[in-house]
Amino acid sequence: MRRGLIENGYVELAVTGAHAVAIDLLPPLHKDPFDRMLVAQAIAESVTLLTGDTLVAQYPDLIRQV
């Protein structure tokens, strides 16, 4: 799957210090640290995060439930 995504123009997003700092700015809506990192990355990078998780979808701005 990874190869297919990369061959179709997708790029990997590394976790940065800015992403880690952005976690502290999030309201405590969700306790899963991996999900919180995804939300922080979406906000820091100004990209939309699509999720099926109703808790993650409660975050404001760039989070959309599908």
Side-chain angles (χ1 to χ4, degrees):
M1 181 172 162
R2 178 179 177 265
R3 183 182 312 148
L5 291 170
I6 291 171
E7 288 173 355
N8 283 288
Y10 289 85
V11 295
E12 294 177 328
L13 180 60
V15 175
T16 68
H19 298 148
V21 170
I23 290 173
D24 284 339
L25 303 175
L26 296 177
L29 301 174
H30 199 287
K31 294 181 182 183
D32 184 308
F34 184 78
D35 287 342
R36 290 175 59 79
M37 177 57 77
L38 291 174
V39 171
Q41 284 182 301
I43 293 169
E45 299 295 328
S46 297
V47 296
T48 301
L49 174 65
L50 303 178
T51 182
D53 187 320
T54 56
L55 288 175
V56 172
Q58 291 178 16
Y59 286 100
D61 302 321
L62 302 167
I63 315 305
R64 301 286 181 260
Q65 187 171 5
V66 292

